[in-house]
C-alpha cells in the first residue's frame, strides 16, 4: 500500500488553563490518503478544531502537542520551523477553509489581490497568468469570472465562502482542511458549497479533511471518516463500513440521532449527557458515562483504537472494549438505560 498523505498517530493536545492542563485531544490516530475525502465528526467541544488547527501549527498560544506525531508524506511536520511551515506547507501543500469567511478575507483588499500575493510568494507565475488561473477557479466554484476584482463586501456570504474555496485551491494543494465550511450559510448555500466540493473532487486530485458535527454530510461527501468523542477517536474507517456496521456505541447512537433516508419514519435518538472536559491525562473511555453498554473496565482504562475488520481501505478501527458485541446487542435489544454503576457482565 502506498504511503498515506497524512498520518496522525497517538496525538495528544493540551491547553494550559488556570485549573491545570485540559486535554482537548487524547491519543488520536487516523490517516488520509491521496485524493481521499475524509470527514472528522463529533459534537461541539470534542476536539475537532483543535486537532485540525494543530496540523498547520495554528493552535492558540496556550495549546501544545504533548505526545504523538503528525506525518505529512512521511515527514514529521512538527519538527518544521515556522519558516519551513510557510515555505513548504501552508497554502502550497495544505490549505484551510475556515468556518466563516468573515475572518479570512481582508476587507480592504480586492479578492484578486489576495490571490496575487499568494502567487508572488509561492509561484513563478506572471501576474497575467495568475489572474487567468484565479478566473478559472472562480468558474470552478460557480462565481462569475469577471468578479475577481471585487472587494469581499461586494459578495454575499455564500459567494465569499466560494471565493475562499477558490483561494484555497489556488496553489493546487494536496490537502484542503475545511472546518465547518458551511456553518455561517443558509441551507441552500450549504448545498451549493458541498456541490462544488464534490465537483472539485471530480476535477482535481486534492484530498479533503472535512470537519463537521453532521454525520450525514460525511456519509454523503466522504470516503473515510473518524468519529471523535471527548478528545478521543472513537472509531475510524471507510464510511460505508461505519455506516453499515458501526462498532463504537457513540457511532451507533450518533447515526440514530440523524435522519436517515432509508428510514424516514424513524424517531431520532437523543444521546443523553454532555461530552466531558478532561483535565490532565485521559485514563478512561470518555464516553463511559453516557454509554448504555459501559462496564467497569471502561472507567478503569482508556480502550485502545484497534482494528475491527478489514474494510475497503483496510483501517476500520474502534476504541471500545466491547466493539465486537455492541452492534449485535443494539440490534437485538436496543439501547438499555445508561447505568453509571454498571459492573462487568459475564462473558
Ligand atoms: N484556547 C483554549 N484554551 C482552553 N481550552 C480550550 C481552548 N480552545 C479550545 N478549548 C477546549 O478544548 C476542547 C476542544 O475544543 P475544540 O474547539 O477543539 O472542539 P470542537 O469539536 O472543534 O468544537 P466546535 O464544533 O464547537 O468547534 C473544548 O473543551 C474547548 O473548550
Amino acid at each position: 500500500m502506498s504511503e498515506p498523505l497524512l498520518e496522525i498517530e497517538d496525538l495528544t493536545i493540551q491547553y494550559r488553563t488556570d485549573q491545570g492542563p485540559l486535554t482537548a485531544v487524547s491519543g488520536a490516530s487516523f490517516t488520509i490518503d491521496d485524493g481521499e475525502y475524509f470527514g472528522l465528526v463529533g459534537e461541539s467541544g470534542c476536539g475537532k478544531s483543535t486537532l485540525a488547527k494543530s496540523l498547520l501549527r495554528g493552535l492558540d498560544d496556550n495549546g501544545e502537542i504533548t505526545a504523538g506525531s503528525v506525518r505529512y508524506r512521511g515527514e514529521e511536520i512538527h519538527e518544521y520551523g515556522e519558516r519551513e511551515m510557510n515555505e513548504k506547507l501552508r497554502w502550497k501543500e495544505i490549505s484551510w477553509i475556515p468556518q466563516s469567511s468573515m475572518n479570512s478575507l481582508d476587507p480592504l483588499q480586492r479578492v484578486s489581490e489576495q490571490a496575487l500575493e499568494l502567487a508572488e510568494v509561492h509561484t513563478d507565475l506572471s501576474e497575467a497568468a495568475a489572474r487567468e488561473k484565479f478566473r478559472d477557479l472562480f468558474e470552478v466554484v460557480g462565481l462569475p469570472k469577471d468578479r475577481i476584482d471585487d472587494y469581499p463586501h461586494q459578495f454575499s456570504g455564500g459567494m465569499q465562502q466560494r471565493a475562499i474555496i477558490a483561494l484555497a485551491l489556488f496553489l493546487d494543494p494536496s490537502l484542503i482542511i475545511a472546518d465547518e465550511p458551511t456553518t455561517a450559510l443558509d441551507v441552500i448555500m450549504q448545498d451549493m458549497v458541498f456541490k462544488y466540493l464534490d465537483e472539485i473532487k471530480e476535477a482535481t486530485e486534492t484530498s479533503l479533511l472535512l470537519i463537521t458535527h453532521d454525520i450525514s454530510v460525511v456519509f454523503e461527501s466522504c470516503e473515510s471518516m473518524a468519529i471523535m468523542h471527548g478528545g478521543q477517536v472513537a472509531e475510524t474507517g471507510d464510511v460505508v463500513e461505519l455506516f453499515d456496521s458501526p462498532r463504537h456505541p457513540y457511532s451507533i447512537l450518533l447515526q440514530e440521532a440523524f435522519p436517515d433516508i432509508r428510514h424516514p419514519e424513524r424517531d431520532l435518538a437523543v444521546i443523553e449527557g454532555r461530552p466531558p472536559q478532561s483535565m490532565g491525562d485521559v485514563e478512561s473511555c470518555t464516553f463511559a458515562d453516557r454509554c448504555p453498554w459501559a462496564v467497569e473496565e471502561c472507567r478503569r482504562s482508556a480502550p485502545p483504537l484497534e482494528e475491527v475488520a478489514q474494510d475497503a481501505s483496510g483501517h476500520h478501527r474502534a476504541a471500545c472494549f466491547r466493539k465486537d458485541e455492541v452492534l449485535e446487542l443494539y440490534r437485538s435489544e436496543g439501547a438499555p438505560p445508561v447505568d453509571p454503576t454498571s459492573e462487568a457482565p459475564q462473558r
Side-chain angles (χ1 to χ4, degrees):
M1 209 186 284
S2 64
E3 184 175 69
L5 178 69
L6 184 76
E7 202 170 359
I8 293 171
E9 206 176 313
D10 252 333
L11 188 67
T12 296
I13 303 171
Q14 292 186 324
Y15 289 109
R16 287 182 300 281
T17 72
D18 292 344
Q19 291 75 44
L22 181 148
T23 304
V25 174
S26 177
S29 302
F30 59 84
T31 58
I32 302 180
D33 290 328
D34 264 314
E36 185 172 56
Y37 271 28
F38 188 98
L40 186 59
V41 201
E43 290 158 297
S44 183
C46 72
K48 308 178 295 294
S49 296
T50 298
L51 193 154
K53 283 188 211 160
S54 79
L55 303 179
L56 282 174
R57 287 253 283 260
L59 283 175
D60 297 346
D61 289 345
N62 63 332
E64 110 179 272
I65 292 180
T66 54
S69 73
V70 178
R71 285 187 291 279
Y72 183 79
R73 295 201 187 283
E75 280 193 38
E76 182 56 64
I77 60 177
H78 289 117
E79 286 168 7
Y80 285 6
E82 198 47 28
R83 196 164 140 210
E84 260 180 314
M85 283 299 280
N86 278 335
E87 280 175 4
K88 284 193 182 172
L89 277 189
R90 292 192 184 121
W91 292 100
K92 230 178 151 150
E93 285 294 328
I94 307 180
S95 66
W96 179 272
I97 302 173
Q99 291 193 359
S100 157
S101 47
M102 306 290 256
N103 307 323
S104 50
L105 287 174
D106 181 343
L108 301 177
Q109 270 193 329
R110 297 175 196 278
V111 180
S112 56
E113 287 172 316
Q114 309 188 36
L116 291 176
E117 269 179 17
L118 283 178
E120 201 180 315
V121 176
H122 294 284
T123 73
D124 300 327
L125 290 177
S126 66
E127 186 177 327
R131 284 181 64 82
E132 199 45 44
K133 181 169 183 186
F134 198 50
R135 282 165 60 85
D136 289 347
L137 282 170
F138 254 47
E139 198 165 41
V140 171
V141 299
L143 291 172
K145 282 175 165 214
D146 56 4
R147 301 278 307 264
I148 62 167
D149 293 323
D150 282 11
Y151 286 93
H153 72 262
Q154 292 174 277
F155 291 124
S156 69
M159 291 167 94
Q160 285 184 17
Q161 198 64 341
R162 282 184 275 159
I164 288 181
I165 297 175
L167 275 174
L169 287 167
F170 187 58
L171 298 184
D172 304 313
S174 297
L175 175 66
I176 298 177
I177 301 173
D179 188 359
E180 302 269 12
T182 61
T183 306
L185 305 178
D186 63 46
V187 180
I188 294 174
M189 269 303 151
Q190 289 184 4
D191 271 358
M192 277 184 88
V193 167
F194 282 114
K195 189 174 138 257
Y196 290 118
L197 288 175
D198 284 347
E199 283 177 15
I200 288 162
K201 185 164 179 43
E202 300 299 313
T204 71
E205 297 282 288
T206 309
S207 304
L208 178 74
L209 172 56
L210 175 66
I211 296 160
T212 174
H213 60 275
D214 187 342
I215 198 168
S216 41
V217 164
V218 170
F219 284 143
E220 270 171 42
S221 306
C222 298
E223 288 138 327
S224 297
M225 65 192 295
I227 298 177
M228 289 186 74
H229 183 273
Q232 294 167 326
V233 170
E235 186 161 3
T236 181
D238 186 276
V239 290
V240 177
E241 187 73 13
L242 264 73
F243 187 64
D244 289 341
S245 143
R247 301 305 188 97
H248 191 286
Y250 180 57
S251 317
I252 296 172
L253 298 178
L254 193 63
Q255 248 185 69
E256 299 299 316
F258 278 89
D260 177 355
I261 46 167
R262 297 178 309 182
H263 306 289
E265 73 297 340
R266 196 195 64 202
D267 288 338
L268 298 186
V270 175
I271 305 176
E272 302 289 348
R274 296 179 136 267
Q277 283 217 324
S278 303
M279 304 308 292
D281 293 340
V282 177
E283 284 162 351
S284 61
C285 172
T286 56
F287 194 57
D289 286 344
R290 309 172 75 189
C291 180
W293 299 280
V295 292
E296 208 193 311
E297 196 178 8
C298 312
R299 300 192 174 87
R300 273 203 313 259
S301 58
L305 188 63
E306 285 178 338
E307 204 166 294
V308 292
Q310 286 299 318
D311 67 341
S313 54
H315 49 75
H316 184 181
R317 291 185 287 167
C320 175
F321 291 119
R322 305 187 72 188
K323 63 183 182 311
D324 296 326
E325 53 181 340
V326 279
L327 183 60
E328 225 173 280
L329 287 173
Y330 178 66
R331 285 189 175 149
S332 60
E333 299 162 16
V338 174
D339 175 4
T341 60
S342 49
E343 296 290 322
Q346 301 296 315
R347 296 202 193 169

